[in-house]
Each structure stands twice: as structure tokens, then as C-alpha cells.
Amino acid sequence: MLPIIAPLGLNWFYEDIATNLAQDLTAFGLPAMARSSHDVDALGTQAGGTVLIVNYSECLIAAERAARRGELVAALDAFEHRILVNYDTIYSHWFGNQFPSDAPPITAIADLTMMRQVEAPLVRGVPYKWVPEAFSDRERATVRPWEAARPLPWAMLGHATADRAAFLSAAMAALGSDGFAFLPPHRPFDRRSGFEAAEIARVLGRADLYLWSSHHNFPYHEGFRALHAVAAGAVPAKVDPLNAGHFADVPWVYPNLEAVREARERLGLAGLYRQAFDFIEGHGRLAANVAEAIAPWYPAARALLSGGRRLEVVQ
């Protein structure tokens, strides 16, 4: 059984990732279980092999809040392979936080992103594997295609920053003022600081466009946003004036809002949705991509893949 630990109570996003990944890997033929980072007793029973860690920094914070940080550190130290399932831009301090000096080191990085961040085989001295972001089988089965007559022409969701406030004002001018925006403060630092999965799906299921901009200037595609949009039948549209050229192969990244408006007029919402859906479908399925990435350090994955249990995996 492959343990996948995530911070419980801090961020629904990472909990959802761990649960979804565990379910998809299990269905794929690699039994896995999502665990809270402060469930150290159960984690200790699986020590010795490989563990997947979803946001190491926040796992340590969650364990510390439960007064079990030292126990988590000891439990992780008993694993030979500690693989970081990464959702941060590798150029940021958030990624740097995944390498604490007072805890067992990460031994490999499985970078679960829409585009490969670097071509180098090592990042911070440990092996780096790109895992193309993709739907799990369960997610793919629930995808709702875009259809006309949605009540919201656009929706914007994300923690409030000065740049996003300006972006909201520009969106209202470029695309109309009858969209939907929810920009809560980032604090308190727990799962109450924004919408969770069900609320996001409910809003995006009523919107034509899902607009977003980064809260930083690094060339990075925020995890899950496009998947959330396409699953709910909305068209993803990331606006990134500084880095749009870096994402030239991704059909929903634009240099400005005028480019979004022009694309909508030229291709129509149905055409834009089909482009986004086809691009994500080209990434295969989540479990196969993760299994391919962790196979060097997880014998069960190697055996499964070499035995022919493989979906199409982006190379």
C-alpha cells in the first residue's frame, strides 16, 4: 500500500489531490491510501519503502499544530524514498519551503503541472520528473461539456491581491460587468480562506469563461484550474502578460484580456472549450502519468508498467 500524505485542515486543495490520486492509483492497479500528515501511527506501519508527500511544508505545519511534528519527522525518516508531489513554481520560496533543513530530505520530485518547468534531470540536487497534469478516470467520467445559455459570461476565483483587484476591474471593462468574482483574503491560513471543490464546481458550472491571473510573476501554470474549468464545462482563460509566450502551446493562456475577447469572437466558446478539452485529453490519465514518474523508486509501479498496464503517457 503506497501512502500519500497531505496536510489536513490547512488546504482542501492538497487533501483533494491526495484523495483523488490515491483512488486513481488504486483503480490503476497500485493500491494507495491518502493519510493526514499527523496520522503518524498509521504512517509508521508502512515505513521502509516509498511515500508520496503532497506539500511537505504544510504537512509539517499541520503535524506541528497537532503537536506531532517530531513524530512525523521520525516516521518519514524510516522511508527510503520520499517523493514530493509538487504543485509550486520551482522558482519561488514556496518551493524552497519543501526542503526543510530540520526534517528528512525529499529524495525525488514528481512535478504535477500542465507544462514541464525545467528540462534538467535534477532540481535542488534530487531527481526531477514531470507528471503531465491530467484527469483521473473518475474525473473524466464526470466532465460536463460547455453548453450555451449559461448565466455567467465569466467567473474569477482566487485570493485577493492588488494585482488581481486591478485585473478584475480590467475584466469588467473588457468582458462586461455581469460576471462573478470571489476574491477572499488569504488569511486565516486554513481551509476556511476560500471556496472548496463543490463551490468552485457550482460556480464554474454556470460560467462561460473561468478567468484567472497569477499572484506572482513566475512562469507557472497554476495546478488544477484548467481541470476544474473543463470538468464543469467552462472555458479556461489564464491572462499572463509577462509569460504568455512561455505558454504558447497551451491554448488558454493569453497576454491580455483583449486577446481573450478576440479569441471568443473568432472561435466561439464551443471552439475554445474543444481546444482546451483536447489539450488536456492529450495528457492521458493521472494514475498512468504518476506511475511512470515514480517507477524508478517504486518497484510495484515498475512491475505494473513493464507488465503492460499502461495508458498513454506524455513523454
Side-chain angles (χ1 to χ4, degrees):
M1 181 73 68
L2 177 66
I4 306 171
I5 67 168
L8 181 66
L10 291 183
N11 193 324
W12 71 265
F13 174 73
Y14 295 120
E15 295 176 35
D16 194 60
I17 289 168
T19 301
N20 186 47
L21 182 53
Q23 291 175 350
D24 209 37
L25 284 172
T26 299
F28 186 65
L30 291 175
M33 178 171 290
R35 295 196 182 280
S36 165
S37 58
H38 54 70
D39 188 8
V40 293
D41 296 326
L43 187 62
T45 65
Q46 299 175 282
T50 300
V51 60
L52 302 187
I53 305 173
V54 181
N55 198 311
Y56 197 6
S57 173
E58 292 192 15
C59 282
L60 291 168
I61 292 172
E64 184 169 0
R65 288 186 177 183
R68 307 202 73 175
R69 189 184 193 279
E71 294 172 80
L72 174 62
V73 167
L76 290 175
D77 196 40
F79 284 88
E80 181 180 2
H81 303 294
R82 292 171 293 273
I83 302 176
L84 174 68
V85 179
N86 181 55
Y87 270 88
D88 286 307
T89 169
I90 64 171
Y91 310 103
S92 70
H93 71 275
W94 299 290
F95 181 72
N97 291 342
Q98 307 305 315
F99 298 82
S101 60
D102 59 344
I106 291 298
T107 61
I109 301 163
D111 194 25
L112 225 168
T113 56
M114 196 59 66
M115 285 187 63
R116 181 189 295 272
Q117 294 201 63
V118 294
E119 295 295 334
L122 301 176
V123 172
R124 286 184 170 256
V126 300
Y128 169 92
K129 296 286 187 179
W130 176 45
V131 182
E133 197 174 2
F135 286 124
S136 67
D137 280 339
R138 177 179 58 85
E139 290 171 322
R140 176 61 183 84
T142 63
V143 168
R144 294 174 46 201
W146 176 86
E147 55 188 15
R150 291 186 163 216
L152 298 173
W154 54 266
M156 185 185 304
L157 309 173
H159 287 123
T161 66
D163 286 345
R164 281 180 174 160
F167 180 58
L168 172 59
S169 178
M172 294 173 66
L175 303 174
S177 60
D178 50 351
F180 175 91
F182 180 60
L183 303 177
H186 190 256
R187 295 292 187 267
F189 183 46
D190 58 27
R191 63 185 309 153
R192 295 173 297 167
S193 63
F195 279 172
E196 296 192 19
E199 290 86 0
I200 291 172
R202 195 152 49 240
V203 171
L204 296 184
R206 298 167 60 83
D208 285 328
L209 289 168
Y210 180 22
L211 296 173
W212 78 90
S213 62
S214 296
H215 64 285
H216 54 68
N217 294 323
F218 301 111
Y220 183 67
H221 187 290
E222 293 76 11
F224 263 52
R225 284 191 184 262
L227 297 185
H228 286 156
V230 171
V235 176
K238 172 182 168 68
V239 177
D240 190 341
L242 292 177
N243 302 300
H246 180 78
F247 298 105
D249 294 334
V250 181
W252 58 77
V253 180
Y254 301 91
N256 49 57
L257 284 160
E258 180 62 22
V260 176
R261 189 185 63 78
E262 291 175 355
R264 185 181 60 182
E265 292 179 357
R266 184 175 70 256
L267 297 175
L269 289 165
L272 292 177
Y273 180 84
R274 172 53 61 178
Q275 277 190 346
F277 175 83
D278 289 346
F279 186 88
I280 293 173
E281 279 292 276
H283 278 188
R285 290 291 176 267
L286 176 67
N289 294 350
V290 171
E292 183 83 5
I294 68 175
W297 310 284
Y298 194 52
R302 289 200 301 275
L304 192 65
L305 295 172
S306 65
R309 180 68 173 97
R310 180 192 298 262
L311 300 179
E312 182 179 352
V313 179
V314 176
Q315 301 296 329

